[in-house]
Amino acid sequence: MEKSIKTILKGARDPENITYDLSDQCPHCKVSVTPDIIYAITSKKYEYRKSNYAAILVQCPSNNCSQFYIDYFHLPATESSIYKKTSRKEKYFYKPILSNDLPNEVNEKFPEFNEIYSQAIQAENYGLNQIAGVGYRKALEFLVKQYSIHLNPENKEKIQKEFLGATIKNSLGDFKKLQSLFEAATWIGNDETHFVRKHEDHDIASMKKFIKSAATFISADLDADEAIKFTKKS
Ligand SMILES: [Zn+2]
């Protein structure tokens, strides 16, 4: 529902009327509503010809609900008078957004792993912890398998077919500490996929920590390979 709302422009003297396409359903009680507008303000200081964001604090008018929520909008810059019409409604999250902070070398070298890991992060961002746990377990398997095949391309078929534990044991014997990281992450990961949890004291955060350390280890190994190639050439 379109509505013109007097919006405080941070750093500017006067508020401005801006038109927003507000949600017409309360996110708490799911009832269709004409929300009560409490307050609207831009997120950044007003600057001529610069885009901005605005948050509208709204309240559900239903007496049974009366909950507050926020509608959030992008305010594109325009040539003349700025912020007259909004274009894009944004999702508003109360949790910090997680992002894929694994080393680039690993994400680029093993794109399938990167894809699964990134999807697991998205699931975690949406609060789908059960799905995220299963996703991280799958990502872990892809990292172990893809890196092992990178080290032993001649064993590709065997590595693809065998159990994850066997690959960790058979293909990563030269890297004892990496083996331990993968083993620990696998134990926690298996808890995420099985009915009964064995390791109550470790959760998704511990599994991610071990996967990140393993990826950092692998990234250093890939860099070292590049350095060896380079020094041999010269
Ligand atoms: Zn409501």
Side-chain angles (χ1 to χ4, degrees), residues 66-80:
S66 303
Q67 297 265 18
F68 293 100
Y69 56 94
I70 284 171
D71 268 356
Y72 193 59
F73 294 88
H74 177 239
L75 304 175
T78 54
E79 276 306 305
S80 51

PDB file of all heavy atoms in Angstrom, residues 66-80:
ATOM      1  N   SER A  66      -0.658  -5.497  18.320  1.00  0.00           N
ATOM      2  CA  SER A  66       0.030  -4.253  18.710  1.00  0.00           C
ATOM      3  C   SER A  66       1.554  -4.323  18.662  1.00  0.00           C
ATOM      4  O   SER A  66       2.241  -3.561  19.331  1.00  0.00           O
ATOM      5  CB  SER A  66      -0.387  -3.816  20.130  1.00  0.00           C
ATOM      6  OG  SER A  66      -1.761  -3.653  20.192  1.00  0.00           O
ATOM      7  N   GLN A  67       2.093  -5.263  17.898  1.00  0.00           N
ATOM      8  CA  GLN A  67       3.557  -5.409  17.832  1.00  0.00           C
ATOM      9  C   GLN A  67       4.157  -4.348  16.896  1.00  0.00           C
ATOM     10  O   GLN A  67       3.515  -3.905  15.949  1.00  0.00           O
ATOM     11  CB  GLN A  67       3.911  -6.790  17.283  1.00  0.00           C
ATOM     12  CG  GLN A  67       3.447  -7.921  18.150  1.00  0.00           C
ATOM     13  CD  GLN A  67       4.538  -8.399  19.094  1.00  0.00           C
ATOM     14  OE1 GLN A  67       5.517  -7.703  19.349  1.00  0.00           O
ATOM     15  NE2 GLN A  67       4.358  -9.594  19.612  1.00  0.00           N
ATOM     16  N   PHE A  68       5.403  -4.016  17.159  1.00  0.00           N
ATOM     17  CA  PHE A  68       6.142  -3.103  16.288  1.00  0.00           C
ATOM     18  C   PHE A  68       6.943  -3.893  15.260  1.00  0.00           C
ATOM     19  O   PHE A  68       7.357  -5.010  15.514  1.00  0.00           O
ATOM     20  CB  PHE A  68       7.120  -2.274  17.116  1.00  0.00           C
ATOM     21  CG  PHE A  68       6.471  -1.315  18.065  1.00  0.00           C
ATOM     22  CD1 PHE A  68       6.347  -1.623  19.411  1.00  0.00           C
ATOM     23  CD2 PHE A  68       5.987  -0.094  17.611  1.00  0.00           C
ATOM     24  CE1 PHE A  68       5.753  -0.739  20.299  1.00  0.00           C
ATOM     25  CE2 PHE A  68       5.387   0.795  18.489  1.00  0.00           C
ATOM     26  CZ  PHE A  68       5.267   0.477  19.834  1.00  0.00           C
ATOM     27  N   TYR A  69       7.170  -3.272  14.102  1.00  0.00           N
ATOM     28  CA  TYR A  69       8.136  -3.834  13.151  1.00  0.00           C
ATOM     29  C   TYR A  69       8.666  -2.711  12.279  1.00  0.00           C
ATOM     30  O   TYR A  69       8.193  -1.570  12.356  1.00  0.00           O
ATOM     31  CB  TYR A  69       7.533  -4.977  12.325  1.00  0.00           C
ATOM     32  CG  TYR A  69       6.276  -4.644  11.562  1.00  0.00           C
ATOM     33  CD1 TYR A  69       6.333  -4.221  10.228  1.00  0.00           C
ATOM     34  CD2 TYR A  69       5.022  -4.765  12.152  1.00  0.00           C
ATOM     35  CE1 TYR A  69       5.184  -3.929   9.520  1.00  0.00           C
ATOM     36  CE2 TYR A  69       3.857  -4.471  11.447  1.00  0.00           C
ATOM     37  CZ  TYR A  69       3.949  -4.049  10.133  1.00  0.00           C
ATOM     38  OH  TYR A  69       2.806  -3.759   9.435  1.00  0.00           O
ATOM     39  N   ILE A  70       9.667  -3.062  11.467  1.00  0.00           N
ATOM     40  CA  ILE A  70      10.314  -2.035  10.649  1.00  0.00           C
ATOM     41  C   ILE A  70      10.196  -2.386   9.174  1.00  0.00           C
ATOM     42  O   ILE A  70      10.446  -3.523   8.782  1.00  0.00           O
ATOM     43  CB  ILE A  70      11.794  -1.890  11.062  1.00  0.00           C
ATOM     44  CG1 ILE A  70      11.878  -1.119  12.392  1.00  0.00           C
ATOM     45  CG2 ILE A  70      12.603  -1.184   9.987  1.00  0.00           C
ATOM     46  CD1 ILE A  70      13.240  -1.096  12.999  1.00  0.00           C
ATOM     47  N   ASP A  71       9.779  -1.424   8.365  1.00  0.00           N
ATOM     48  CA  ASP A  71       9.874  -1.545   6.911  1.00  0.00           C
ATOM     49  C   ASP A  71      11.093  -0.726   6.496  1.00  0.00           C
ATOM     50  O   ASP A  71      11.333   0.362   7.028  1.00  0.00           O
ATOM     51  CB  ASP A  71       8.615  -0.981   6.241  1.00  0.00           C
ATOM     52  CG  ASP A  71       7.559  -2.061   6.009  1.00  0.00           C
ATOM     53  OD1 ASP A  71       7.847  -3.232   6.306  1.00  0.00           O
ATOM     54  OD2 ASP A  71       6.457  -1.722   5.535  1.00  0.00           O
ATOM     55  N   TYR A  72      11.825  -1.268   5.558  1.00  0.00           N
ATOM     56  CA  TYR A  72      13.125  -0.672   5.227  1.00  0.00           C
ATOM     57  C   TYR A  72      13.210  -0.442   3.720  1.00  0.00           C
ATOM     58  O   TYR A  72      12.860  -1.343   2.947  1.00  0.00           O
ATOM     59  CB  TYR A  72      14.210  -1.646   5.690  1.00  0.00           C
ATOM     60  CG  TYR A  72      15.614  -1.101   5.722  1.00  0.00           C
ATOM     61  CD1 TYR A  72      15.935   0.002   6.504  1.00  0.00           C
ATOM     62  CD2 TYR A  72      16.628  -1.718   4.994  1.00  0.00           C
ATOM     63  CE1 TYR A  72      17.226   0.483   6.553  1.00  0.00           C
ATOM     64  CE2 TYR A  72      17.930  -1.238   5.050  1.00  0.00           C
ATOM     65  CZ  TYR A  72      18.226  -0.147   5.829  1.00  0.00           C
ATOM     66  OH  TYR A  72      19.506   0.325   5.884  1.00  0.00           O
ATOM     67  N   PHE A  73      13.647   0.727   3.292  1.00  0.00           N
ATOM     68  CA  PHE A  73      13.623   1.067   1.859  1.00  0.00           C
ATOM     69  C   PHE A  73      14.931   1.680   1.380  1.00  0.00           C
ATOM     70  O   PHE A  73      15.606   2.397   2.122  1.00  0.00           O
ATOM     71  CB  PHE A  73      12.510   2.098   1.575  1.00  0.00           C
ATOM     72  CG  PHE A  73      11.141   1.568   1.798  1.00  0.00           C
ATOM     73  CD1 PHE A  73      10.557   1.633   3.052  1.00  0.00           C
ATOM     74  CD2 PHE A  73      10.446   0.986   0.755  1.00  0.00           C
ATOM     75  CE1 PHE A  73       9.285   1.131   3.265  1.00  0.00           C
ATOM     76  CE2 PHE A  73       9.172   0.477   0.957  1.00  0.00           C
ATOM     77  CZ  PHE A  73       8.589   0.547   2.213  1.00  0.00           C
ATOM     78  N   HIS A  74      15.219   1.385   0.119  1.00  0.00           N
ATOM     79  CA  HIS A  74      16.329   2.060  -0.554  1.00  0.00           C
ATOM     80  C   HIS A  74      15.791   3.358  -1.154  1.00  0.00           C
ATOM     81  O   HIS A  74      14.710   3.363  -1.754  1.00  0.00           O
ATOM     82  CB  HIS A  74      16.854   1.147  -1.668  1.00  0.00           C
ATOM     83  CG  HIS A  74      17.953   1.763  -2.466  1.00  0.00           C
ATOM     84  ND1 HIS A  74      17.856   1.959  -3.817  1.00  0.00           N
ATOM     85  CD2 HIS A  74      19.166   2.216  -2.092  1.00  0.00           C
ATOM     86  CE1 HIS A  74      18.981   2.518  -4.252  1.00  0.00           C
ATOM     87  NE2 HIS A  74      19.792   2.684  -3.226  1.00  0.00           N
ATOM     88  N   LEU A  75      16.503   4.446  -0.988  1.00  0.00           N
ATOM     89  CA  LEU A  75      16.102   5.729  -1.566  1.00  0.00           C
ATOM     90  C   LEU A  75      17.098   6.092  -2.657  1.00  0.00           C
ATOM     91  O   LEU A  75      18.212   6.517  -2.354  1.00  0.00           O
ATOM     92  CB  LEU A  75      16.110   6.826  -0.490  1.00  0.00           C
ATOM     93  CG  LEU A  75      15.254   6.586   0.754  1.00  0.00           C
ATOM     94  CD1 LEU A  75      15.471   7.705   1.758  1.00  0.00           C
ATOM     95  CD2 LEU A  75      13.786   6.493   0.381  1.00  0.00           C
ATOM     96  N   PRO A  76      16.722   5.898  -3.914  1.00  0.00           N
ATOM     97  CA  PRO A  76      17.674   6.196  -4.985  1.00  0.00           C
ATOM     98  C   PRO A  76      17.903   7.701  -5.116  1.00  0.00           C
ATOM     99  O   PRO A  76      17.000   8.491  -4.830  1.00  0.00           O
ATOM    100  CB  PRO A  76      16.994   5.632  -6.227  1.00  0.00           C
ATOM    101  CG  PRO A  76      15.552   5.591  -5.906  1.00  0.00           C
ATOM    102  CD  PRO A  76      15.414   5.474  -4.419  1.00  0.00           C
ATOM    103  N   ALA A  77      19.097   8.066  -5.551  1.00  0.00           N
ATOM    104  CA  ALA A  77      19.380   9.480  -5.795  1.00  0.00           C
ATOM    105  C   ALA A  77      18.686   9.905  -7.078  1.00  0.00           C
ATOM    106  O   ALA A  77      18.586   9.136  -8.023  1.00  0.00           O
ATOM    107  CB  ALA A  77      20.876   9.669  -5.939  1.00  0.00           C
ATOM    108  N   THR A  78      18.165  11.129  -7.113  1.00  0.00           N
ATOM    109  CA  THR A  78      17.582  11.645  -8.350  1.00  0.00           C
ATOM    110  C   THR A  78      18.282  12.949  -8.695  1.00  0.00           C
ATOM    111  O   THR A  78      18.957  13.550  -7.859  1.00  0.00           O
ATOM    112  CB  THR A  78      16.070  11.921  -8.192  1.00  0.00           C
ATOM    113  OG1 THR A  78      15.889  12.769  -7.064  1.00  0.00           O
ATOM    114  CG2 THR A  78      15.299  10.636  -7.978  1.00  0.00           C
ATOM    115  N   GLU A  79      18.091  13.384  -9.946  1.00  0.00           N
ATOM    116  CA  GLU A  79      18.817  14.558 -10.429  1.00  0.00           C
ATOM    117  C   GLU A  79      18.377  15.847  -9.720  1.00  0.00           C
ATOM    118  O   GLU A  79      19.191  16.631  -9.263  1.00  0.00           O
ATOM    119  CB  GLU A  79      18.592  14.718 -11.940  1.00  0.00           C
ATOM    120  CG  GLU A  79      19.525  13.865 -12.762  1.00  0.00           C
ATOM    121  CD  GLU A  79      21.007  14.094 -12.421  1.00  0.00           C
ATOM    122  OE1 GLU A  79      21.470  15.243 -12.476  1.00  0.00           O
ATOM    123  OE2 GLU A  79      21.690  13.101 -12.081  1.00  0.00           O
ATOM    124  N   SER A  80      17.039  16.017  -9.600  1.00  0.00           N
ATOM    125  CA  SER A  80      16.573  17.296  -9.060  1.00  0.00           C
ATOM    126  C   SER A  80      16.350  17.203  -7.556  1.00  0.00           C
ATOM    127  O   SER A  80      17.288  17.217  -6.774  1.00  0.00           O
ATOM    128  CB  SER A  80      15.307  17.727  -9.781  1.00  0.00           C
ATOM    129  OG  SER A  80      14.389  16.649  -9.771  1.00  0.00           O
TER     130      SER A  80
END
